[in-house]
Amino acid sequence: MEDVARVAGVSRALVSIVYRDAPGASEATRARVLAAGSELGYRPDHRARLLGRTRTRLLGVTFDVQAPFHGDLVEALYSAAEAAGYDLALSAVAPSRQESRAVQSLLDYRCEALVLLGPQLSPSALTALTESQPVIVVGRKVKATGVDVVRTDDMAGSRLAVEHLLSLGHRSILHIDGGKSSGAAERRTGYRNAMRHAGLSPLVQTGGRTEAEGADAAKTFLNDAPPATAVTLFNDRLATGFLDTIRQSLRVPQDLSVVGYDNTTISRLSHISLTTIAQNTAALAAETIAKAHTRLTDAPTAPTPPIPPTLVPRSTTSPPAS
């Protein structure tokens, strides 16, 4: 800051005023200081600035680097946070980085609230986090004292997938599930309920959430030869791996219709063109930021109803072959 002040010909205090966007400097002075800072490559230390504030207006977000949907959701969260006057700090969960470490990193940055995307932490661990700041869980149905939950109506999403296939004439529909992943139980239940409502027998196969697990599910499907003309899968990643392998033996959608879940970027690629269930990322993000703001202003909160998803039909579904 002293270097910037010297080059701009002003006091260090005035440099601080300019970079804090505080009143007390003319437009000409601001322009001169910012030009000097740009020339010197100066950037304010954001962490040091936060230490002097009563409020940081910083929301911490944990996300899974291997989940494409989390990337879509983070983008929507940035827009919603900026509109509400907040900024985000991101901390990734990865195979080599545990969720507890990702959370601790955000706490070290003095984040005012934690936004956890599809967390695997236990309800008791989530409740413990609320002792120091608000916690909003996104994409997972969980009952933990003091924790706000924002999620998609996954049971309705699976019902939409089944009803779409039924409308095309399919009667033998298999569901490949997501195991213990967030949302998997609700999507599995929604599928079963929709099938039974139609007077049909549910058929569930073990799956997962990755492309590799989708490829394995396709091999199992081909080896077991279940009497299915259509398949719904836990998410788009699983569906993509499934499609890549199944297309070596069957035509999609002529021999087998396939429906994914999440409407991620990969599902929209022209060579995949996956029929899928779209989660409303904009609505999820807006509600999440609203929950955080409500908690931080001590306003009363109320449970948020699950947000409805929508069906996005593409080229992986069609009527069954006669």
Side-chain angles (χ1 to χ4, degrees):
M1 290 179 72
E2 289 177 353
D3 292 335
V4 173
R6 176 179 50 78
V7 172
V10 299
S11 67
R12 174 172 173 164
L14 199 51
V15 172
S16 176
I17 286 173
V18 170
Y19 277 97
R20 287 187 290 110
D21 199 23
S26 68
E27 289 304 316
T29 299
R30 288 181 185 276
R32 193 163 72 252
V33 169
L34 293 175
S38 178
E39 177 185 341
L40 294 171
Y42 170 71
R43 290 178 60 84
D45 188 334
H46 183 62
R47 289 172 297 177
R49 292 171 64 190
L50 293 179
L51 291 174
R53 296 183 184 179
T54 303
R55 290 197 59 187
T56 65
R57 299 196 71 83
L58 189 63
L59 307 179
V61 181
T62 63
F63 68 102
D64 186 341
V65 294
Q66 295 186 313
F69 177 67
H70 284 189
D72 295 342
L73 193 49
V74 165
E75 181 179 4
L77 283 168
Y78 267 117
S79 297
E82 183 176 359
Y86 290 92
D87 199 0
L88 302 183
L90 304 184
S91 190
V93 178
S96 60
R97 192 170 194 251
Q98 293 184 345
E99 189 172 28
S100 58
R101 179 69 189 90
V103 170
Q104 185 59 51
S105 177
L106 296 175
L107 296 177
D108 292 343
Y109 271 89
R110 297 181 62 227
C111 293
E112 290 191 327
L114 295 179
V115 175
L116 311 180
L117 307 188
Q120 299 300 310
L121 294 174
S122 67
S124 60
L126 292 170
T127 297
L129 287 174
T130 65
E131 296 176 2
S132 54
Q133 65 285 301
V135 175
I136 300 92
V137 167
V138 183
R140 174 187 169 191
K141 184 179 181 180
V142 61
K143 292 183 179 180
T145 304
V147 175
D148 290 303
V149 175
V150 178
R151 65 184 182 89
T152 295
D153 189 340
D154 286 316
M155 290 180 62
S158 283
R159 185 180 69 247
L160 287 174
V162 172
E163 289 176 347
H164 169 65
L165 294 169
L166 291 172
S167 71
L168 293 173
H170 294 277
R171 290 297 178 269
S172 183
I173 303 168
L174 170 72
H175 177 66
I176 300 180
D177 74 4
K180 296 182 179 180
S181 301
S182 297
E186 289 74 32
R187 296 177 195 182
R188 187 166 51 243
T189 299
Y191 157 80
R192 284 176 168 150
N193 289 347
M195 291 291 285
R196 288 168 179 154
H197 182 75
L200 302 172
S201 298
L203 183 61
V204 177
Q205 178 182 316
T206 301
R209 61 185 186 134
T210 68
E211 292 87 351
E213 289 169 315
D216 289 341
K219 294 172 185 175
T220 299
F221 177 88
L222 292 170
N223 289 333
D224 292 350
T229 61
V231 177
T232 68
L233 295 102
F234 167 68
N235 67 10
D236 290 346
R237 290 185 67 193
L238 192 69
T240 301
F242 182 87
L243 281 171
D244 186 56
T245 298
I246 211 73
R247 279 174 167 158
Q248 298 174 27
S249 303
L250 298 175
R251 297 171 302 163
V252 175
Q254 295 91 337
D255 299 325
L256 185 70
S257 286
V258 177
V259 181
Y261 202 110
D262 286 339
N263 193 34
T264 51
T265 302
I266 194 170
S267 72
R268 302 192 287 271
L269 296 176
S270 59
H271 69 286
I272 296 178
S273 189
L274 176 67
T275 294
T276 187
I277 301 300
Q279 299 197 59
N280 190 336
T281 54
L284 289 168
E287 185 60 31
T288 297
I289 300 302
K291 282 288 186 188
H293 179 71
T294 299
R295 286 284 186 179
L296 291 170
T297 54
D298 295 324
T301 61
T304 300
I307 295 172
T310 55
L311 172 76
V312 182
R314 296 195 180 99
S315 64
T316 58
T317 51
S318 71
S322 58

